[in-house]
Amino acid sequence: MLKIKELTVAYTSTPVFSDLSVAFSPGKITGIIGPNGAGKSTLIKGALGLIRRTGESFVDNQLVRRVRRKIAYVEQRAALDLTFPISVFEVVLTGTYGKLGLFKSPGQTERNDVMKALEQVNLTEFRNRQIGELSGGQLQRVFVARAIVQQADVVILDEPFVGIDMKSEEEIMHVLRDWRAAGKTIIVVHHDLNKVANYFDDLLIMNHGIVAHGPVSDVYNKVNIQQAFSADLSAVLFTETEDVS
Amino acid sequence: MTSIGEFIAALGHYNFLQSALLASVMVGIMSGIIGSYIILRGMSLMGDAISHSVLPGVAVAYMLGINLLIGASAFGVIAALLIGFVATNSKLKNDTAIGIVFSAFFALGFILISMAESSTNLHHILFGNVLAVSDRDLITTIIVLAIVILFIVLFFKELLITSFDETFAKTYGLKTGYVHYGLMIVLTLVTVSALQTVGIILIVAMLITPAATAFLWTNRLTTMVVLASALGALASTIGLYLSYTLNWASGPAIVLVAALIFLGSFIVSPKQGFVTKLMGVKNA
């Protein structure tokens, strides 16, 4: 369970959101949706303490900064140097670093964990590839494998499905469902409104603050989407679904 | 031009030449190691800046009669902190902050060195004077090499992950700032050792050229570090030979050899793939 309490983040003098409080339930996949610039990624980075913020966040009632290892974070596929001399296996192995702490090297146990995680995302045969030689989807699966190895209670993924192939998307969803079955708290910042109902149990709809939060069936409706996005989008989305059904 | 046989004979005769070779090789090794991390972290300019910024520290150490390493490290770290401070507390970009701080430190160093002129030779600090390496310098260099190796062995994981994915390191609770400043301290120690062989101005070449060359040949970090240090040692040895036989300044000779090795690798290495592309072979 990840709990965020009275979080305020301001990059400039106007805050992105203020005094935001929300709790994410374990055993559920929660999607965070909202228009560009609504503060979805900012909420995550604020909760993780990666950016300057006021407020606090907790995992199982312990301050996040005390129990960082209980959270695995898969960043928006971003500013990483893809020419870095590192293989797929080694990237996933870095997922064991937090648990190992200083001065300890990964041993056979850690290597076995990595091999199992690679198998789960179907990348075993790519384990010795340099990471720049992978497709976008394969690369995203590498980072999901690293999150598996971290064995965290809370897993946060920022836009994991952007620019990747269908097969990778399905494999990642498969891992998320495994995590859900294991009772982890899973949070996914998401872009594509079409798959919301298929992918998520709960939904946090944002637009510079919380518009709605709850089970998808309760909160994914015309009113909330209109409030967070626009009347046009919500009209298109919800008249279409009514027509079809 | 003296033959290689004569150079080896001279090595047997002259203590100063033995010391020079030992010092050059050790500096080549340590700068190859640290340089690998510097280029992977995209900090080539920072490496240049820190190596220039130790100049006032060298001057102050001479004036006060304290160990060069202490004076230089102090100023190297102050420069790194100032650069970090300016970059985070202004809207200026990092390279601008680096440019302001290191040129100011270098200028200050010039003035301080000229005030301390009696016991130092500015020309030697700037371009190196490897043939004047004392036994004490040699011991210092051995200690620094030991520190460098210990540092990268003990903190292998931390250096790897902060170089590759700093955000990830932060999310699992690693104090990435400590790793950064630790690396800066070790970098200043390397700089002080390299003062003797290549001088302050060309240190950046020893840091980045062998490491960049190694980068062209491998996709593994440990291989890159080992290869970079081997290339650094090789360039130092050949450079020293040229310096001795042709009476060239040691620093520029070593740096030019390193650059030539890079040029050769740039043309033929499979990763860069000039030759392989020309031959129409698929990139390895």
Side-chain angles (χ1 to χ4, degrees), chain B:
Chain B
M1 187 164 158
T2 328
S3 74
I4 290 168
E6 283 171 66
F7 178 67
I8 291 167
L11 264 180
H13 288 296
Y14 303 118
N15 252 328
F16 78 89
L17 202 53
Q18 290 167 10
S19 302
L21 183 64
L22 266 177
S24 308
V25 167
M26 287 194 287
V27 167
I29 292 171
M30 64 173 85
S31 38
I33 296 172
I34 291 303
S36 296
Y37 291 99
I38 297 291
I39 72 161
L40 288 176
R41 295 167 88 92
M43 286 173 50
S44 298
L45 183 61
M46 190 72 173
D48 197 22
I50 298 299
S51 58
H52 280 69
S53 299
V54 306
L55 189 60
V58 172
V60 168
Y62 271 124
M63 284 173 175
L64 302 178
I66 56 171
N67 192 310
L68 278 188
L69 287 176
I70 297 170
S73 310
F75 274 82
V77 172
I78 293 170
L81 287 169
L82 266 180
I83 289 166
F85 181 81
V86 174
T88 47
N89 291 289
S90 72
K91 296 210 157 127
L92 294 170
K93 297 207 167 60
N94 203 37
D95 61 336
T96 309
I98 290 172
I100 295 166
V101 172
F102 100 81
S103 52
F105 270 59
F106 202 47
L108 176 67
F110 263 106
I111 290 168
L112 289 177
I113 289 275
S114 59
M115 286 164 72
E117 188 70 82
S118 55
S119 57
T120 53
N121 184 328
L122 185 59
H123 191 267
H124 287 167
I125 291 175
L126 294 182
F127 297 105
N129 181 21
V130 74
L131 299 180
V133 169
S134 70
D135 284 351
R136 225 182 111 207
D137 295 335
L138 211 52
I139 291 169
T140 310
T141 308
I142 292 171
I143 293 171
V144 173
L145 179 61
I147 292 173
V148 168
I149 292 173
L150 207 63
F151 179 68
I152 63 143
V153 170
L154 285 180
F155 298 105
F156 180 83
K157 298 200 311 289
E158 288 70 26
L159 285 166
L160 169 65
I161 194 60
T162 54
S163 304
F164 173 60
D165 191 350
E166 192 173 8
T167 307
F168 176 75
K170 281 183 190 155
T171 59
Y172 79 74
L174 186 66
K175 301 271 184 278
T176 56
Y178 290 160
V179 181
H180 173 75
Y181 288 111
L183 185 64
M184 290 302 105
I185 291 173
V186 175
L187 175 62
T188 62
L189 298 180
V190 171
T191 301
V192 175
S193 304
L195 274 181
Q196 307 152 9
T197 62
V198 291
I200 244 173
I201 293 183
L202 293 176
I203 285 168
V204 67
M206 288 310 287
L207 287 172
I208 66 180
T209 311
T213 312
F215 177 81
L216 294 180
W217 288 100
T218 177
N219 277 328
R220 289 189 54 88
L221 179 61
T222 34
T223 315
M224 176 174 164
V225 170
V226 171
L227 187 59
S229 49
L231 290 171
L234 180 71
S236 299
T237 308
I238 300 174
L240 187 65
Y241 164 72
L242 294 175
S243 162
Y244 178 77
T245 55
L246 301 173
N247 205 21
W248 290 356
S250 59
I254 293 171
V255 169
L256 269 185
V257 172
L260 285 173
I261 298 173
F262 173 79
L263 181 66
S265 299
F266 187 72
I267 294 169
V268 302
S269 90
K271 204 160 146 188
Q272 185 64 42
F274 263 138
V275 171
T276 38
K277 267 179 217 156
L278 279 179
M279 296 190 312
V281 181
K282 200 177 173 293
N283 211 335

Side-chain angles (χ1 to χ4, degrees), chain A residues 10-240:
Chain A
Y11 292 116
T12 57
S13 53
T14 353
V16 181
F17 49 75
S18 22
D19 288 329
L20 191 155
S21 299
V22 62
F24 298 95
S25 318
K28 292 214 167 108
I29 304 176
T30 304
I32 303 182
I33 60 168
N36 284 329
K40 302 176 300 259
S41 298
T42 304
L43 173 69
I44 298 307
K45 287 182 187 151
L48 290 169
L50 294 174
I51 48 176
R52 201 176 294 182
R53 50 98 198 251
T54 61
E56 276 304 344
S57 41
F58 306 84
V59 176
D60 303 334
N61 295 318
Q62 291 166 295
L63 282 170
V64 161
R65 62 168 180 273
R66 301 253 159 75
V67 290
R68 285 196 174 283
R69 260 167 273 148
K70 289 191 173 182
I71 305 180
Y73 170 51
V74 180
E75 211 185 342
Q76 200 165 358
R77 225 175 64 242
L80 280 183
D81 173 12
L82 295 181
T83 68
F84 199 93
I86 191 166
S87 68
V88 167
F89 184 91
E90 289 167 319
V91 172
V92 179
L93 192 61
T94 63
T96 66
Y97 285 7
K99 203 167 291 170
L100 286 167
L102 285 176
F103 308 124
K104 265 194 222 123
S105 301
Q108 200 52 51
T109 324
E110 286 76 23
R111 286 169 187 283
N112 290 342
D113 287 349
V114 171
M115 286 310 287
K116 264 185 250 161
L118 284 172
E119 206 170 306
Q120 251 179 287
V121 297
N122 271 320
L123 283 176
T124 308
E125 57 180 315
F126 294 97
R127 65 184 180 279
N128 293 321
R129 287 267 185 105
Q130 195 269 335
I131 52 154
E133 299 165 9
L134 301 178
S135 73
Q138 290 167 335
L139 193 62
Q140 191 62 272
R141 281 187 274 151
V142 172
F143 292 109
V144 170
R146 175 163 76 177
I148 294 174
V149 167
Q150 285 182 273
Q151 297 168 354
D153 298 334
V154 177
V155 189
I156 305 173
L157 303 97
D158 195 348
E159 304 265 10
F161 305 127
V162 168
I164 73 172
D165 54 290
M166 272 311 297
K167 182 172 166 275
S168 293
E169 187 164 334
E170 275 162 25
E171 277 175 13
I172 290 169
M173 268 320 291
H174 192 80
V175 173
L176 299 194
R177 288 181 182 126
D178 285 351
W179 275 331
R180 173 174 62 190
K184 294 184 195 291
T185 307
I186 304 132
I187 301 161
V188 182
V189 175
H190 194 65
H191 207 76
D192 182 0
L193 290 182
N194 288 318
K195 292 166 185 163
V196 160
N198 294 332
Y199 281 1
F200 305 122
D201 308 308
D202 280 4
L203 210 55
L204 175 65
I205 305 175
M206 283 186 76
N207 192 3
H208 297 283
I210 298 177
V211 172
H213 180 218
V216 172
S217 51
D218 295 356
V219 299
Y220 189 59
N221 56 40
K222 197 167 180 174
V223 179
N224 286 334
I225 295 303
Q226 185 173 335
Q227 204 185 330
F229 293 85
S230 67
D232 290 348
L233 182 64
S234 112
V236 169
L237 276 173
F238 289 96
T239 46
E240 266 184 8

